[in-house]
Amino acid sequence: MALIKNRYGKGRVRVMRIHRDGDRHEVSQLSVKAMIEGDFARAYTHADNSTSVATDTIKNIVNVVARENTGLSTEEFCQVLAKRYLDTYPQIASVAITAHETKWSRLSIGGKPHPHSFVLDSNGKPFVEASVARGGQAALTSGIDGFAFMKSTQSGWENYPHDRYTTLPETADRMCATSMVASWKWSAKPSNYPAVNARILDTLLEVFSTTYSMSVQDSLYRMGEAALAAVPEISEISMACPNMHFIPMNLSAFGLDNNNDVFLPTDEPHGQIECTVGRG
């Protein structure tokens, strides 16, 4: 039987980097997955480990590169890490690095940002995916997973097909909430990855918040258009948005109406809306 494809590596390598610039510190907590492909087939087919790099060694390199590069953005760190594997082991043909970040936000005391104290930001996990092949072929994607946002009005769902299976009433005034997974592909290096990533999120949220939504589909496309217009260094953006539903409660048994004031929060089952917007 033929070995069709193989790769291996180390997952969930957790590392916290602290970059010290005088009294001011920057922190970056990552969970890294490093996967390698190359001349490793004989480990599978002939029990020959002579070319296989130990996964413990793969983990150690993550920590060494972290120590040597405390100040790099996650995007730059992942690219440097991938290159280290290629530079060290000629039997490696390509490397795929995925890093998810646990966000720590700087604490403010009396309105003044504190130089070395932080609070956990639990809304969404930023991530980076870097793929680098020997010979220079590379791809870099940034994004965020589980980023939740909502608006309490200025959203509707109307003029859709009705048949004998349809029970959902049309509305021009509903809550709209989601926990978004979004990713964007870099076609050029920006001046500052964290700052431009923040600009992309700010742009998405501004469109969502300040314009009426005919549907989640309508909002996502316009959000993607705006992000591409704001950041020329990305070639496309993908968004996947499961609905977080808020169902109006029936209070008629208590002699009360419900003018979109009281809801039952639920997230299962949920609508799943996805799209990719790119440059033509």
PDB file of all heavy atoms in Angstrom, residues 223-245:
ATOM      1  N   MET A 223     -19.312  44.460   5.379  1.00  0.00           N
ATOM      2  CA  MET A 223     -18.189  44.492   6.317  1.00  0.00           C
ATOM      3  C   MET A 223     -16.900  44.086   5.609  1.00  0.00           C
ATOM      4  O   MET A 223     -15.842  44.697   5.777  1.00  0.00           O
ATOM      5  CB  MET A 223     -18.477  43.572   7.506  1.00  0.00           C
ATOM      6  CG  MET A 223     -19.568  44.092   8.428  1.00  0.00           C
ATOM      7  SD  MET A 223     -20.334  42.810   9.475  1.00  0.00           S
ATOM      8  CE  MET A 223     -18.952  42.335  10.515  1.00  0.00           C
ATOM      9  N   GLY A 224     -16.984  43.019   4.789  1.00  0.00           N
ATOM     10  CA  GLY A 224     -15.814  42.566   4.043  1.00  0.00           C
ATOM     11  C   GLY A 224     -15.333  43.606   3.048  1.00  0.00           C
ATOM     12  O   GLY A 224     -14.123  43.852   2.916  1.00  0.00           O
ATOM     13  N   GLU A 225     -16.265  44.235   2.329  1.00  0.00           N
ATOM     14  CA  GLU A 225     -15.902  45.303   1.397  1.00  0.00           C
ATOM     15  C   GLU A 225     -15.145  46.415   2.104  1.00  0.00           C
ATOM     16  O   GLU A 225     -14.120  46.921   1.606  1.00  0.00           O
ATOM     17  CB  GLU A 225     -17.174  45.890   0.771  1.00  0.00           C
ATOM     18  CG  GLU A 225     -17.748  45.125  -0.373  1.00  0.00           C
ATOM     19  CD  GLU A 225     -18.864  45.908  -1.050  1.00  0.00           C
ATOM     20  OE1 GLU A 225     -19.733  46.444  -0.327  1.00  0.00           O
ATOM     21  OE2 GLU A 225     -18.869  46.001  -2.305  1.00  0.00           O
ATOM     22  N   ALA A 226     -15.654  46.826   3.260  1.00  0.00           N
ATOM     23  CA  ALA A 226     -15.044  47.937   3.990  1.00  0.00           C
ATOM     24  C   ALA A 226     -13.650  47.575   4.496  1.00  0.00           C
ATOM     25  O   ALA A 226     -12.732  48.408   4.460  1.00  0.00           O
ATOM     26  CB  ALA A 226     -15.942  48.350   5.160  1.00  0.00           C
ATOM     27  N   ALA A 227     -13.475  46.343   4.950  1.00  0.00           N
ATOM     28  CA  ALA A 227     -12.161  45.918   5.435  1.00  0.00           C
ATOM     29  C   ALA A 227     -11.135  45.925   4.312  1.00  0.00           C
ATOM     30  O   ALA A 227      -9.994  46.381   4.486  1.00  0.00           O
ATOM     31  CB  ALA A 227     -12.256  44.531   6.066  1.00  0.00           C
ATOM     32  N   LEU A 228     -11.526  45.441   3.135  1.00  0.00           N
ATOM     33  CA  LEU A 228     -10.613  45.433   1.989  1.00  0.00           C
ATOM     34  C   LEU A 228     -10.272  46.855   1.546  1.00  0.00           C
ATOM     35  O   LEU A 228      -9.132  47.136   1.149  1.00  0.00           O
ATOM     36  CB  LEU A 228     -11.224  44.646   0.840  1.00  0.00           C
ATOM     37  CG  LEU A 228     -11.297  43.130   1.044  1.00  0.00           C
ATOM     38  CD1 LEU A 228     -12.240  42.501   0.032  1.00  0.00           C
ATOM     39  CD2 LEU A 228      -9.921  42.494   0.938  1.00  0.00           C
ATOM     40  N   ALA A 229     -11.240  47.750   1.622  1.00  0.00           N
ATOM     41  CA  ALA A 229     -10.984  49.134   1.247  1.00  0.00           C
ATOM     42  C   ALA A 229     -10.062  49.820   2.250  1.00  0.00           C
ATOM     43  O   ALA A 229      -9.241  50.670   1.877  1.00  0.00           O
ATOM     44  CB  ALA A 229     -12.301  49.896   1.141  1.00  0.00           C
ATOM     45  N   ALA A 230     -10.184  49.440   3.520  1.00  0.00           N
ATOM     46  CA  ALA A 230      -9.389  50.093   4.567  1.00  0.00           C
ATOM     47  C   ALA A 230      -7.964  49.574   4.641  1.00  0.00           C
ATOM     48  O   ALA A 230      -7.055  50.296   5.065  1.00  0.00           O
ATOM     49  CB  ALA A 230     -10.073  49.906   5.923  1.00  0.00           C
ATOM     50  N   VAL A 231      -7.754  48.322   4.222  1.00  0.00           N
ATOM     51  CA  VAL A 231      -6.437  47.694   4.389  1.00  0.00           C
ATOM     52  C   VAL A 231      -6.002  47.105   3.045  1.00  0.00           C
ATOM     53  O   VAL A 231      -6.387  45.980   2.699  1.00  0.00           O
ATOM     54  CB  VAL A 231      -6.484  46.605   5.481  1.00  0.00           C
ATOM     55  CG1 VAL A 231      -5.120  45.938   5.630  1.00  0.00           C
ATOM     56  CG2 VAL A 231      -6.936  47.199   6.808  1.00  0.00           C
ATOM     57  N   PRO A 232      -5.193  47.811   2.274  1.00  0.00           N
ATOM     58  CA  PRO A 232      -4.768  47.301   0.962  1.00  0.00           C
ATOM     59  C   PRO A 232      -3.834  46.105   1.054  1.00  0.00           C
ATOM     60  O   PRO A 232      -3.616  45.422   0.051  1.00  0.00           O
ATOM     61  CB  PRO A 232      -4.064  48.512   0.333  1.00  0.00           C
ATOM     62  CG  PRO A 232      -3.664  49.380   1.477  1.00  0.00           C
ATOM     63  CD  PRO A 232      -4.708  49.187   2.531  1.00  0.00           C
ATOM     64  N   GLU A 233      -3.279  45.821   2.235  1.00  0.00           N
ATOM     65  CA  GLU A 233      -2.315  44.714   2.371  1.00  0.00           C
ATOM     66  C   GLU A 233      -2.975  43.347   2.463  1.00  0.00           C
ATOM     67  O   GLU A 233      -2.289  42.329   2.490  1.00  0.00           O
ATOM     68  CB  GLU A 233      -1.437  44.925   3.609  1.00  0.00           C
ATOM     69  CG  GLU A 233      -0.534  46.152   3.558  1.00  0.00           C
ATOM     70  CD  GLU A 233      -1.188  47.383   4.126  1.00  0.00           C
ATOM     71  OE1 GLU A 233      -2.414  47.343   4.412  1.00  0.00           O
ATOM     72  OE2 GLU A 233      -0.494  48.400   4.293  1.00  0.00           O
ATOM     73  N   ILE A 234      -4.311  43.277   2.532  1.00  0.00           N
ATOM     74  CA  ILE A 234      -4.978  41.971   2.543  1.00  0.00           C
ATOM     75  C   ILE A 234      -5.651  41.743   1.199  1.00  0.00           C
ATOM     76  O   ILE A 234      -6.143  42.677   0.557  1.00  0.00           O
ATOM     77  CB  ILE A 234      -5.982  41.835   3.701  1.00  0.00           C
ATOM     78  CG1 ILE A 234      -7.121  42.859   3.592  1.00  0.00           C
ATOM     79  CG2 ILE A 234      -5.272  41.959   5.043  1.00  0.00           C
ATOM     80  CD1 ILE A 234      -8.231  42.653   4.627  1.00  0.00           C
ATOM     81  N   SER A 235      -5.679  40.470   0.774  1.00  0.00           N
ATOM     82  CA  SER A 235      -6.250  40.137  -0.530  1.00  0.00           C
ATOM     83  C   SER A 235      -7.680  39.635  -0.423  1.00  0.00           C
ATOM     84  O   SER A 235      -8.450  39.751  -1.374  1.00  0.00           O
ATOM     85  CB  SER A 235      -5.398  39.071  -1.221  1.00  0.00           C
ATOM     86  OG  SER A 235      -5.323  37.891  -0.430  1.00  0.00           O
ATOM     87  N   GLU A 236      -8.042  39.057   0.719  1.00  0.00           N
ATOM     88  CA  GLU A 236      -9.403  38.590   0.923  1.00  0.00           C
ATOM     89  C   GLU A 236      -9.668  38.429   2.409  1.00  0.00           C
ATOM     90  O   GLU A 236      -8.738  38.333   3.212  1.00  0.00           O
ATOM     91  CB  GLU A 236      -9.672  37.271   0.192  1.00  0.00           C
ATOM     92  CG  GLU A 236      -8.916  36.073   0.718  1.00  0.00           C
ATOM     93  CD  GLU A 236      -9.256  34.795  -0.037  1.00  0.00           C
ATOM     94  OE1 GLU A 236      -9.335  34.838  -1.284  1.00  0.00           O
ATOM     95  OE2 GLU A 236      -9.446  33.749   0.617  1.00  0.00           O
ATOM     96  N   ILE A 237     -10.952  38.402   2.757  1.00  0.00           N
ATOM     97  CA  ILE A 237     -11.354  38.201   4.145  1.00  0.00           C
ATOM     98  C   ILE A 237     -12.512  37.225   4.173  1.00  0.00           C
ATOM     99  O   ILE A 237     -13.430  37.310   3.346  1.00  0.00           O
ATOM    100  CB  ILE A 237     -11.724  39.534   4.829  1.00  0.00           C
ATOM    101  CG1 ILE A 237     -12.125  39.310   6.289  1.00  0.00           C
ATOM    102  CG2 ILE A 237     -12.805  40.279   4.077  1.00  0.00           C
ATOM    103  CD1 ILE A 237     -12.232  40.584   7.097  1.00  0.00           C
ATOM    104  N   SER A 238     -12.443  36.276   5.091  1.00  0.00           N
ATOM    105  CA  SER A 238     -13.494  35.274   5.265  1.00  0.00           C
ATOM    106  C   SER A 238     -14.120  35.439   6.636  1.00  0.00           C
ATOM    107  O   SER A 238     -13.413  35.676   7.624  1.00  0.00           O
ATOM    108  CB  SER A 238     -12.925  33.860   5.120  1.00  0.00           C
ATOM    109  OG  SER A 238     -12.392  33.647   3.829  1.00  0.00           O
ATOM    110  N   MET A 239     -15.435  35.298   6.695  1.00  0.00           N
ATOM    111  CA  MET A 239     -16.156  35.414   7.954  1.00  0.00           C
ATOM    112  C   MET A 239     -17.172  34.294   8.069  1.00  0.00           C
ATOM    113  O   MET A 239     -17.884  33.990   7.109  1.00  0.00           O
ATOM    114  CB  MET A 239     -16.859  36.770   8.035  1.00  0.00           C
ATOM    115  CG  MET A 239     -15.936  37.969   8.152  1.00  0.00           C
ATOM    116  SD  MET A 239     -16.751  39.538   7.707  1.00  0.00           S
ATOM    117  CE  MET A 239     -16.812  39.372   5.911  1.00  0.00           C
ATOM    118  N   ALA A 240     -17.226  33.672   9.245  1.00  0.00           N
ATOM    119  CA  ALA A 240     -18.221  32.655   9.566  1.00  0.00           C
ATOM    120  C   ALA A 240     -18.926  33.099  10.836  1.00  0.00           C
ATOM    121  O   ALA A 240     -18.280  33.308  11.860  1.00  0.00           O
ATOM    122  CB  ALA A 240     -17.570  31.287   9.767  1.00  0.00           C
ATOM    123  N   CYS A 241     -20.255  33.264  10.739  1.00  0.00           N
ATOM    124  CA  CYS A 241     -21.010  33.874  11.836  1.00  0.00           C
ATOM    125  C   CYS A 241     -22.212  33.020  12.224  1.00  0.00           C
ATOM    126  O   CYS A 241     -23.256  33.079  11.561  1.00  0.00           O
ATOM    127  CB  CYS A 241     -21.469  35.268  11.437  1.00  0.00           C
ATOM    128  SG  CYS A 241     -20.126  36.460  11.333  1.00  0.00           S
ATOM    129  N   PRO A 242     -22.097  32.241  13.288  1.00  0.00           N
ATOM    130  CA  PRO A 242     -23.278  31.571  13.839  1.00  0.00           C
ATOM    131  C   PRO A 242     -24.148  32.576  14.589  1.00  0.00           C
ATOM    132  O   PRO A 242     -23.652  33.392  15.357  1.00  0.00           O
ATOM    133  CB  PRO A 242     -22.676  30.533  14.794  1.00  0.00           C
ATOM    134  CG  PRO A 242     -21.359  31.104  15.190  1.00  0.00           C
ATOM    135  CD  PRO A 242     -20.875  31.891  14.015  1.00  0.00           C
ATOM    136  N   ASN A 243     -25.449  32.516  14.340  1.00  0.00           N
ATOM    137  CA  ASN A 243     -26.363  33.407  15.044  1.00  0.00           C
ATOM    138  C   ASN A 243     -26.435  33.060  16.525  1.00  0.00           C
ATOM    139  O   ASN A 243     -26.474  31.885  16.899  1.00  0.00           O
ATOM    140  CB  ASN A 243     -27.777  33.307  14.462  1.00  0.00           C
ATOM    141  CG  ASN A 243     -27.907  34.002  13.132  1.00  0.00           C
ATOM    142  OD1 ASN A 243     -27.145  34.899  12.826  1.00  0.00           O
ATOM    143  ND2 ASN A 243     -28.877  33.578  12.337  1.00  0.00           N
ATOM    144  N   MET A 244     -26.446  34.079  17.362  1.00  0.00           N
ATOM    145  CA  MET A 244     -26.810  33.933  18.762  1.00  0.00           C
ATOM    146  C   MET A 244     -28.241  34.463  18.857  1.00  0.00           C
ATOM    147  O   MET A 244     -28.473  35.666  18.771  1.00  0.00           O
ATOM    148  CB  MET A 244     -25.845  34.717  19.649  1.00  0.00           C
ATOM    149  CG  MET A 244     -24.400  34.256  19.518  1.00  0.00           C
ATOM    150  SD  MET A 244     -23.193  35.415  20.233  1.00  0.00           S
ATOM    151  CE  MET A 244     -23.628  35.345  21.966  1.00  0.00           C
ATOM    152  N   HIS A 245     -29.206  33.548  18.989  1.00  0.00           N
ATOM    153  CA  HIS A 245     -30.609  33.926  18.895  1.00  0.00           C
ATOM    154  C   HIS A 245     -31.137  34.472  20.217  1.00  0.00           C
ATOM    155  O   HIS A 245     -30.762  34.011  21.295  1.00  0.00           O
ATOM    156  CB  HIS A 245     -31.454  32.728  18.474  1.00  0.00           C
ATOM    157  CG  HIS A 245     -31.220  32.294  17.063  1.00  0.00           C
ATOM    158  ND1 HIS A 245     -31.492  33.088  15.971  1.00  0.00           N
ATOM    159  CD2 HIS A 245     -30.739  31.128  16.553  1.00  0.00           C
ATOM    160  CE1 HIS A 245     -31.194  32.444  14.861  1.00  0.00           C
ATOM    161  NE2 HIS A 245     -30.729  31.257  15.183  1.00  0.00           N
TER     162      HIS A 245
END
